[in-house]
Amino acid sequence: MDTIIDDISGSTRVYGILGYPVGHSFSPVLQNTLASKTGINLRYLAFPVAPQDLGAAIKGGFALGVQGFNVTVPHKQAVIPFLCGIDPLAEQIGAVNTLKRTESGYIGYNTDILGLERAFALQNVELAGKNLVVLGAGGAAHAAVVLAQRAGAKKLYLVNRTLSKAEALAERIQIPVEVLSYDDLYRLEAPDILIQTTSVGMGRPEESPVADAELFRRVQVAMDLIYAPWQTKFLKDAAAAGCKDINGFDMLIYQGIASFELWNEMEVAPEKAAALRNLLEEYYRKGR
Ligand code: NAP
């Protein structure tokens, strides 16, 4: 009865994530824990925003003084017209996942690419000089492809159910690229790294976009951007064939840390980031 709640005050800054649906998002736990660990006075909430309401949500968020947003499915590309600017890397990717407030509106950034880069680096996986297969051609695939190019991959194979989308993605990159159907995929000689960016297997432990698991015998590293389930069928098949398997959890954590750093114009020390990552993994795997 006599408890005073004073950890939220008149100067607490508000941030949030825009998605639809967004109730499953891990970002509020991640961002509020980060704020608490770094002593920054902010709160971060999930805002379910239907596609037809996106423009109104951005305008309303700005009017209310919301300092920044993360943006997730299905808004990562659709939000761009409502921004006052876009960072060159996000523009190259063609998708944003982070909005930062300025006097004239929000500027869009892409920290998914930074999270993915970090996830590979933590596992000592080099993309330079490698033959990479990217499954999918959605927003996450765009980030993966630009990362591959930036890191100096030798060749990219883009595989997608809707071939026209993979073809459009291929147009955006300058390194050697080939668009393949899933049938062609199984005929590939020896791709070094497979990056699974489709939503197949998300929440469905029995589903994988790779129907012929023999493929993994010719691959060294398999990365799945999905982290729920923790080990997808794609990753189970890859591990069983002797591949190094990496799930999407590190990408999730490090894209979030990169957004937090951008908003607060500070750097989270690597040891602090690693400790937070381990704490969040423990929490996440206990079932939240
Ligand atoms: P998106 O833009 O909606 O793209 C979805 C992709 O999945 C498309 O290429 C789509 O192919 C493909 N797909 C969907 N259903 C399929 C099916 N039944 N068979 C074959 N392909 C299918 O989504 P996104 O933003 O790229 O996200 C994709 C996944 O990455 C999601 O699971 C998301 O959670 C994950 N992700 C993780 C992180 C992280 O931090 N770990 C960050 C971003 C995204 P079509 O083009 O043929 O429809």
Side-chain angles (χ1 to χ4, degrees), residues 13-25 27-28 43-51 53-54 57-58 60-62 64-75 106:
R13 286 178 286 137
V14 177
Y15 291 82
I17 180 163
L18 305 175
Y20 198 70
V22 77
H24 64 283
S25 173
S27 292
R43 286 296 184 278
Y44 182 105
L45 300 169
F47 298 109
V49 173
D53 297 329
L54 184 60
I58 297 291
F62 189 75
L64 290 170
V66 176
Q67 297 297 308
F69 290 105
N70 281 131
V71 182
T72 187
V73 179
H75 302 317
Y106 294 103

Side-chain angles (χ1 to χ4, degrees), residues 76 136-140 160-162 165 197-200 202 225 248 252:
K76 286 185 184 180
N160 196 44
R161 178 179 60 178
T162 311
K165 285 198 204 161
T197 80
T198 78
S199 44
V200 179
M202 190 166 60
L225 268 49
L252 170 78

Side-chain angles (χ1 to χ4, degrees), residues 247-258:
N247 78 3
F249 193 72
D250 280 341
M251 177 180 177
L252 170 78
I253 300 300
Y254 283 94
Q255 62 76 33
I257 292 175

